[in-house]
Amino acid sequence: MVGGVEVESKYRIECSEMEYIEAALRDAGLYLEGERLEVDIYYRHPCRDMLSRDEALRLRVYEDNGGRLTYKGPRMGGGFKAREEVEIELTRVEEARLLLARLGFEETLVVRKRRKYYRGEGVLVTLDNVESLGCFVEVEAEDPGGIEMLESLLKLEDRRVDETYAEMALKNMGRRGDEAHRDREG
Amino acid sequence: MVGGVEVESKYRIECSEMEYIEAALRDAGLYLEGERLEVDIYYRHPCRDMLSRDEALRLRVYEDNGGRLTYKGPRMGGGFKAREEVEIELTRVEEARLLLARLGFEETLVVRKRRKYYRGEGVLVTLDNVESLGCFVEVEAEDPGGIEMLESLLKLEDRRVDETYAEMALKNMGRRGDEAHRDREG
């Protein structure tokens, strides 16, 4: 995230392409800022269906038990994803998880991913290997020009996906549910 | 707070007694751990009336813009106040305040106080000068024995109050509302 409003775009890639993309990023002057396992817990609000309002409340847990709690507002439309983000840093996530539970929030789904961050002038590129969902590249920039430049550099045109991991994971759960149903019926 | 469950007791004093009480605490071997202005913002939950459930969600703001977000569960009864506390530390409170607003939480009231902390073996004594409410001593201990010892040392027997500052402030607001109403009627 570069400011209070995030301009970003996400692309689906084959996991086998990861190496080539990392080389291209390094050649373009970006540097590997960090790599880690991230576990994202998404919450349901007790009063309103956050998904249908295009909102999200997410607790991100790092390997060292630090993390962050993030609210994402509805997408504002336009070519790139732009939505409000409000985020608080947490030195320990366990208290935050307990506090959310006490306030009645329910954990709806969990997304696990191995994530690498590459940073450059005004841009942040994130490479994700997401459990059950595959591999993705996310590009965040201060302006749409930065995103277009990287899109072209990494040959990502026409591979854009607009769904969030939470939406994909929910769909996946539905599909697995259907398959289990078919298996029982068949 | 000494553990996950807090055993504490609160007493109303005259503000003019503060000096004598501080001297008695120092004589008993407690030391002044800190002094600061604290602004407590209490929240209403959009789905449930937290006050009637004897719960509280409180954002505490320090002078340096750091703070903590605390959930307090219903009081468990018994001679001393015992209730679950879940707390997260915040390096900046502004994002937390915005995040709560985005999730639909409403700020119901604000309590400002000048607070001094005195710490001793297994006990914490807090001296409060609360805007519009007066002066108070709060005693927290690992066990009821520690509280009884301090109660006797500071001559606080029969001065215990069970109401929280939030409850007192709410009552005060009601009273001020009544007076304004009488003034208009009279």
Side-chain angles (χ1 to χ4, degrees), chain A residues 45 47-48 84 102-103, chain B residues 45 47-48 84 102-103:
Chain A
H45 191 276
C47 301
R48 55 185 182 196
E84 187 190 24
R102 287 294 180 272
L103 293 175
Chain B
H45 193 276
C47 302
R48 56 186 181 196
E84 186 191 25
R102 288 293 180 271
L103 293 175

Side-chain angles (χ1 to χ4, degrees), chain B residues 95-150:
Chain B
E95 287 79 4
R97 201 168 174 179
L98 189 55
L99 192 141
L100 288 166
R102 288 293 180 271
L103 293 175
F105 287 89
E106 295 157 17
E107 302 186 2
T108 52
L109 65 105
V110 176
V111 175
R112 283 178 188 79
K113 58 181 177 296
R114 170 65 52 184
R115 170 163 265 195
K116 284 183 176 179
Y117 291 98
Y118 277 87
R119 193 173 284 279
E121 183 75 26
V123 294
L124 177 66
V125 177
T126 309
L127 304 176
D128 287 338
N129 188 331
V130 190
E131 193 182 87
S132 308
L133 298 179
C135 288
F136 300 86
V137 178
E138 273 193 357
V139 177
E140 292 179 51
E142 282 165 4
D143 57 77
I147 291 188
E148 278 161 12
M149 183 271 287
L150 281 157

